[in-house]
Amino acid sequence: MSRAPRSTAARRFWGDDDSHTPILHMDMDAFFVAVELLERPELVGKPVAVGGQERGVISAASYEARTFGVNSAMPVAQARRCCPQLIILPAQHHKYSEVSRRIMDYLRSITPLVEQLSVDEAFLDVAGARKLFGTPMQIAQRIREHIRSTEGLAASIGIASTKHVAKVASAHAKPDGLLLIPQERTTDFLHALPVGALWGVGDKTRETLEKKGIVDVADIVALGRPRLVAILGQAHGNHIYDLAIGRDERRVQPYREEKSISKEHTFFDPIDDPPAAWKMMLDQAHDVARRLRANEFFGRTVSIKVRYTDFSTITRSVTLGAPTNTGADIYDAARNLFDQLPASGMGIRLLGVRVGQLSRSAQGVQLALDDDGRRSRAEETMDEIRQKFGGEILQHGSLLETERRQPPVN
């Protein structure tokens, strides 16, 4: 697969591969596009993106497309203006999820301490894996070689003593690179970076700092903690200053107690009719319900999230009379919330369903007075069938539709 030349930083090796750098950050390169190019090799080397065809946004862009200024979350119309020859492929999320599952399973065969951030990104703590697999650098090389040989994809990895520095290192290693920052070289590495490279410094914070003449991370350190707090506020100022001096005590967390379970979907081509929204919420409600049951949770609060084409976002929630883990109950609540939204006249580009106020099934659940248990028993039976024959064996009738031919590539 054609790749852009590696940056100088991606080839640099900042010292020895020692025991103080056990944190790896793995980030797949242009993941959605790379998966698509496996089946479309004739497009390798061309500016390619995954996203909406006429409206909507870009989900991922090849490095060739990025040289024209095309980036993820960019409106399709703007992307076409930046790169008139841009080839936009429709998203196939089921393919990306399956590839991601195989990669994450492999990472967990190296170490159980894997914190997955998204379908294409994860932290690993490999301190306990060194006796079996070697140094952190050797482990990172093993991971990259495995992903390349089994999936045909490129992954960039940063190695450091903290999560923050490992993440920054992986960004500097892209594309298809590997960068290690030994603990004793952490400040040297950080101080040469622009403030926007720090994890948590967005455009607004960067602009605020640059107006004060604070351009590089070294400027933050020279400014001092009290003055930075005066500019950014107590919590944000302290957090950014700690990152600037290389302090980050966050550990890799493979397991988290769920506070809520949700499912969101971004539409590359925004929808503007209620039936399409209802259908998506039905699918989301049942997906959330399956995950609740799989983790032995019940939830009492149902929320929806709606983002329109002007990027305005509305959230609504309702507390149920009794906890539930049944998709039909969740959908009824979500549908009712959606139907009460004021007419906006705009298309919907994101829709989500969330269930909160979780409780364990072992804690006991009081059923609603009008609940005879048939809905929940039916869905539990569907779970058993899916486990035996596969997740796609059963679908709600209203979710089934004739498979449509993919739109032609422009």
Side-chain angles (χ1 to χ4, degrees):
M1 185 178 299
S2 174
R3 297 285 176 188
R6 292 186 191 178
S7 65
T8 301
R11 296 195 299 269
R12 297 179 71 176
F13 183 66
W14 286 59
D16 296 328
D17 185 11
D18 62 13
S19 60
H20 299 294
T21 56
I23 307 298
L24 275 60
H25 179 261
M26 183 219 69
D27 197 359
M28 302 298 298
D29 296 334
F31 182 54
F32 292 179
V33 171
V35 173
E36 294 294 341
L37 293 185
L38 294 175
E39 297 179 357
R40 300 293 302 272
E42 74 277 10
L43 299 180
V44 172
K46 298 181 179 180
V48 179
V50 169
Q53 297 301 291
E54 299 299 333
R55 299 183 296 169
V57 297
I58 298 297
S59 178
S62 69
Y63 288 95
E64 292 80 7
R66 295 181 194 185
T67 62
F68 291 90
V70 178
N71 290 296
S72 60
M74 176 180 287
V76 167
Q78 182 182 348
R80 290 194 183 280
R81 288 194 296 270
C82 292
C83 181
Q85 65 270 44
L86 183 65
I87 301 167
I88 303 180
L89 303 176
Q92 301 186 73
H93 290 287
H94 65 283
K95 289 169 52 177
Y96 316 143
S97 296
E98 182 58 27
V99 174
S100 172
R101 182 191 61 77
R102 292 196 297 266
I103 292 172
M104 296 301 166
D105 285 348
Y106 176 72
L107 298 184
R108 294 184 179 98
S109 75
I110 299 290
T111 172
L113 299 178
V114 175
E115 181 179 342
Q116 183 174 349
L117 302 181
S118 64
V119 293
D120 61 350
E121 185 181 5
F123 284 111
L124 298 83
D125 185 333
V126 299
R130 288 174 296 192
K131 289 185 178 179
L132 285 176
F133 300 109
T135 66
M137 177 62 79
Q138 290 171 331
I139 293 172
Q141 290 171 331
R142 173 190 290 263
I143 291 170
R144 280 167 31 84
E145 291 168 2
H146 174 85
I147 294 173
R148 173 73 74 180
S149 62
T150 60
E151 304 293 345
L153 301 173
S156 295
I157 297 181
I159 312 170
S161 58
T162 68
K163 289 170 70 174
H164 171 248
V165 178
K167 184 174 175 69
V168 175
S170 70
H172 278 255
K174 284 181 170 291
D176 195 11
L178 175 60
L179 180 60
L180 179 142
I181 311 297
Q183 186 178 46
E184 68 274 11
R185 301 298 302 278
T186 295
T187 54
D188 294 336
F189 172 69
L190 289 175
H191 287 193
L193 300 176
V195 293
L198 294 179
W199 190 12
V201 174
D203 290 340
K204 185 176 181 180
T205 300
R206 177 182 56 78
E207 291 170 1
T208 298
L209 294 174
E210 288 180 350
K211 288 178 181 178
K212 301 287 185 179
I214 305 166
V215 178
D216 299 323
V217 174
D219 296 333
I220 291 178
V221 179
L223 184 71
R225 185 187 296 271
R227 293 178 65 188
L228 186 67
V229 167
I231 295 171
L232 299 181
Q234 187 75 23
H236 196 39
N238 278 315
H239 175 67
I240 296 303
Y241 190 82
D242 284 341
L243 296 184
I245 62 174
R247 180 181 299 164
D248 181 11
E249 298 180 356
R250 293 171 295 184
R251 297 293 88 196
V252 174
Q253 298 179 333
Y255 308 110
R256 293 177 178 175
E257 185 68 19
E258 297 282 1
K259 295 182 179 180
S260 65
I261 293 179
S262 63
K263 179 73 176 290
E264 292 184 355
H265 183 85
T266 298
F267 300 95
F268 295 121
D269 293 315
I271 60 173
D272 53 15
D273 63 308
W278 299 337
K279 186 174 181 180
M280 177 54 66
M281 287 191 297
L282 179 63
D283 180 61
Q284 293 171 335
H286 281 279
D287 181 83
V288 168
R290 282 193 294 270
R291 290 157 58 197
L292 286 169
R293 294 191 295 271
N295 291 281
E296 298 184 335
F297 278 129
F298 287 77
R300 192 169 191 129
T301 301
V302 176
S303 304
I304 64 169
K305 179 179 179 181
V306 182
R307 180 169 297 150
Y308 296 103
T309 49
D310 67 347
F311 289 90
S312 62
T313 303
I314 292 178
T315 59
R316 295 288 187 271
S317 63
V318 63
T319 299
L320 305 179
T324 185
N325 62 3
T326 303
D329 295 338
I330 297 168
Y331 172 69
D332 287 346
R335 166 75 183 272
N336 186 52
L337 291 170
F338 181 86
D339 290 346
Q340 293 181 43
L341 293 177
S344 68
M346 294 179 291
I348 296 172
R349 67 179 308 270
L350 180 144
L351 187 61
V353 172
R354 181 174 65 87
V355 174
Q357 283 190 263
L358 304 186
S359 59
R360 290 287 182 184
S361 58
Q363 296 174 349
V365 174
Q366 177 183 349
L367 297 178
L369 294 177
D370 58 350
D371 185 358
D372 61 5
R374 285 185 295 178
R375 280 180 161 184
S376 58
R377 287 195 299 270
E379 293 186 20
E380 289 167 1
T381 301
M382 292 172 69
D383 290 344
E384 295 173 0
I385 295 173
R386 290 191 183 100
Q387 289 173 3
K388 186 174 182 180
F389 297 104
E392 302 301 319
I393 193 68
L394 282 179
Q395 285 284 1
H396 286 266
S398 57
L399 294 177
L400 297 175
E401 64 178 6
T402 303
E403 184 176 354
R404 294 176 291 183
R405 182 178 298 177
Q406 294 290 351
V409 176
N410 295 330

